Amino acid sequence: MQLMGSFSVLKDKLLSFLKRKWSEISQDRFFKNAITLISGAGLAQVLPLLILPIVSRFYHPEDYALLAGYSSIVVILGPLSTGMYHYAIVTDKTERKASNTFCLAFLILASFTVLSAIVIFAFGDHIAKYFNKQISFWLYFIPLTIFFQGFYQILYMWQTRLAKFRVLALSKMVLSGIMAVSTLCFGFFNLGGAGLLISQLIGQSLAMIVLLVPTVRYKGNLVKLVSVSEMTKSLKRHSDFPKFNMPQSFTDGIKESSLIWIISNFFGSTALGSFSFARTVIFGPLQIVGGAVGEVFYQNANAVGEKSELIYLTKKIFLNLCLFGLPLLIIFPFFGDKLFETFFGNKWTNAGAFSGILIFWLYLRFVSSPLSIIPIVLKKQKPYFVIGLMVNFIPILFFYVAGLYGFTVNNALYTFTTVSCITLLFFFVWIYYLLKINNDKY
């Protein structure tokens, strides 16, 4: 009886604590905006997760390998498409400056899209030999993907600047929802990897339109304030973005592309497809949360006046994301292969085993994603670029050596995950040091 009474008291205290924490979070403006984005994107993410057990029956690891090969090229070219000037839209303090930065980013995107189309039509066969011969036909769609993706990012940052988080949430719902439905339909008609690629194009184009409509209807003087002289000023004012942020994002893309290339060449397309599927299942939902928090954090971090506020905001985000992803560290290492086999079928058992290995890297990557905004806010792009090189290429180097020396795919992924975790922990220490040093100056 005494034990039951103690349990009852403990339960009441726990419920009281949870209610109090929820009350605090629900009244916090930052988390209100973040929850708006997460709820909209989260609702859209529910559909892909619900239909994934069906979709996994229509597609094979080789189909996801085709998608991974295509994405490995897009992820390299994507950061170059706007010169990273789309990020600068949020940092501009006046509407005139932001409008000119918006148009500058669009002009760079349009020029890069045309240039990439010329290069691909001229050298498409040679490019396909290096990456994956199966994507030779789909290479010609890459300029279209780059334009949709780049324009979506520009429009997204404009709406972020205006704090239109409901519109942003809607765009994520359209992107994720349309892609999910299209993937299911094309899978039913047995289109294979082509269905995955076409679904991606349809989702990106419609999500872009969702953001384009309110931007065109914007009551401000978006176009009237634009001039060549002001765009030139934006070009110079935000020169650190193409100098440091663009190479940083480019090296991120090189890392992703190298990862795909190493798996494909050393371990085969089936292993690549299983790796891609495992990462999609785990990191997809995490990216929704991490991305939403990061976007709101970016807007808030640029608005705060006191450096101490930025430190408080960063700590709050870091701790909440750590707690949010913690259950995954228990589930996937012990039950990943069984869960994948049960829900997605026998052909995805290897993907489940990979999930148990990759979860530690993906967890730290999830926690670190919003923190990557801090060097941009504090104008520390140059040292961030150097840190980024280390975080990106040391794990890839170890992974390549593991493949070269004949490691099994599982052991190679263990090596990659371990080194990635060490470099990300170093990144956390550097962010803490950056905030502390910056705060001591004020």
Side-chain angles (χ1 to χ4, degrees):
M1 291 296 291
Q2 186 178 0
L3 183 63
M4 291 297 292
S6 299
F7 178 77
S8 179
V9 171
L10 182 62
K11 183 186 73 172
D12 291 340
K13 287 184 177 180
L14 180 61
L15 288 173
S16 177
F17 171 76
L18 292 174
K19 286 179 182 178
R20 188 170 67 255
K21 291 300 291 182
W22 174 251
S23 178
E24 291 174 6
I25 291 173
S26 62
Q27 297 303 316
D28 189 289
R29 185 181 176 185
F30 175 87
F31 281 102
K32 276 185 178 180
N33 289 333
I35 288 168
T36 299
L37 278 177
I38 293 168
S39 60
L43 287 172
Q45 195 67 26
V46 168
L47 180 59
L49 288 174
L50 287 176
I51 67 171
L52 202 53
I54 303 173
V55 168
S56 62
R57 264 72 177 180
F58 291 139
Y59 295 96
H60 300 272
E62 291 77 12
D63 299 325
Y64 278 88
L66 176 64
L67 178 62
Y70 183 87
S71 300
S72 70
I73 301 175
V74 174
V75 79
I76 295 175
L77 300 179
L80 307 178
S81 63
T82 65
M84 299 301 286
Y85 277 98
H86 64 281
Y87 273 113
I89 294 170
V90 182
T91 66
D92 280 325
K93 303 302 181 185
T94 66
E95 186 178 9
R96 178 182 293 276
K97 290 179 179 179
S99 299
N100 281 275
T101 303
F102 177 98
C103 291
L104 172 66
F106 180 77
L107 286 176
I108 294 172
L109 171 64
S111 302
F112 187 84
T113 301
V114 173
L115 179 63
S116 63
I118 294 171
V119 171
I120 287 173
F121 274 88
F123 305 104
D125 292 337
H126 298 285
I127 297 171
K129 287 177 184 177
Y130 177 76
F131 285 93
N132 189 332
K133 291 181 180 180
Q134 292 179 325
I135 67 169
S136 56
F137 170 76
W138 297 102
L139 278 177
Y140 302 102
F141 290 87
I142 284 178
L144 199 59
T145 299
I146 289 171
F147 181 78
F148 288 156
Q149 183 177 286
F151 197 25
Y152 177 82
Q153 289 173 335
I154 293 170
L155 294 166
Y156 201 99
M157 284 302 163
W158 179 259
Q159 295 298 327
T160 299
R161 174 186 170 78
L162 300 176
K164 301 294 184 181
F165 296 108
R166 292 185 184 276
V167 176
L168 298 178
L170 177 62
S171 73
K172 286 184 176 289
M173 288 178 67
V174 170
L175 175 62
S176 190
I178 294 296
M179 281 181 61
V181 174
S182 301
T183 300
L184 183 61
C185 292
F186 293 138
F188 181 78
F189 289 105
N190 200 29
L191 291 186
L196 295 173
L197 292 173
I198 296 170
S199 299
Q200 191 177 73
L201 282 168
I202 294 173
Q204 287 174 338
S205 61
L206 292 178
M208 182 192 71
I209 292 170
V210 168
L211 293 182
L212 180 61
V213 172
T215 304
V216 171
R217 291 177 178 176
Y218 178 62
K219 295 179 181 178
N221 297 316
L222 178 58
V223 177
K224 293 179 182 178
L225 294 173
V226 175
S227 67
V228 174
S229 61
E230 288 294 329
M231 280 196 290
T232 304
K233 290 179 182 177
S234 290
L235 186 71
K236 295 177 180 178
R237 184 172 62 254
H238 300 300
S239 60
D240 278 353
F241 283 90
K243 282 180 183 177
F244 303 115
N245 290 92
M246 186 172 73
Q248 172 66 47
S249 294
F250 181 70
T251 56
D252 289 344
I254 291 290
K255 174 188 176 180
E256 291 295 317
S257 184
S258 299
L259 197 56
I260 290 167
W261 183 85
I262 291 169
I263 296 173
S264 178
N265 280 272
F266 285 113
F267 308 112
S269 59
T270 301
L272 174 59
S274 296
F275 169 84
S276 179
F277 186 78
R279 190 165 60 167
T280 299
V281 171
I282 299 173
F283 201 59
L286 289 178
Q287 203 168 23
I288 292 294
V289 177
V293 171
E295 286 148 19
V296 180
F297 178 48
Y298 189 36
Q299 196 266 346
N300 279 261
N302 279 287
V304 295
E306 297 292 331
K307 300 301 176 182
S308 57
E309 292 182 45
L310 181 59
I311 293 176
Y312 170 74
L313 197 59
T314 304
K315 285 181 178 178
K316 183 166 63 173
I317 290 168
F318 178 77
L319 291 173
N320 278 284
L321 290 181
C322 283
L323 290 172
F324 181 86
L326 200 57
L328 302 180
L329 295 180
I330 301 170
I331 296 171
F332 284 102
F334 296 103
F335 310 108
D337 52 349
K338 296 297 181 183
L339 286 172
F340 273 64
E341 185 178 337
T342 302
F343 287 100
F344 308 127
N346 294 333
K347 59 189 172 186
W348 297 109
T349 304
N350 283 340
F354 291 171
S355 73
I357 303 170
L358 297 172
I359 186 59
F360 300 98
W361 164 53
L362 295 176
Y363 170 76
L364 290 181
R365 187 177 168 187
F366 160 68
V367 174
S368 70
S369 58
L371 303 185
S372 61
I373 298 298
I374 292 170
I376 300 174
V377 174
L378 298 180
K379 309 295 183 185
K380 298 293 182 182
Q381 287 99 325
K382 188 174 181 178
Y384 179 44
F385 174 62
V386 177
I387 296 294
L389 287 175
M390 183 201 72
V391 172
N392 281 327
F393 289 112
I394 291 179
I396 286 295
L397 178 61
F398 274 82
F399 192 46
Y400 177 76
V401 171
L404 202 62
Y405 278 85
F407 281 38
T408 64
V409 61
N410 286 44
N411 287 337
L413 287 174
Y414 273 121
T415 303
F416 170 78
T417 297
T418 302
V419 179
S420 294
C421 289
I422 293 170
T423 56
L424 283 170
L425 289 172
F426 178 82
F427 171 73
F428 292 145
V429 173
W430 179 71
I431 288 292
Y432 172 78
Y433 171 80
L434 197 64
L435 287 167
K436 187 176 184 302
I437 291 297
N438 199 70
N439 187 57
D440 290 342
K441 291 181 181 179
Y442 294 85

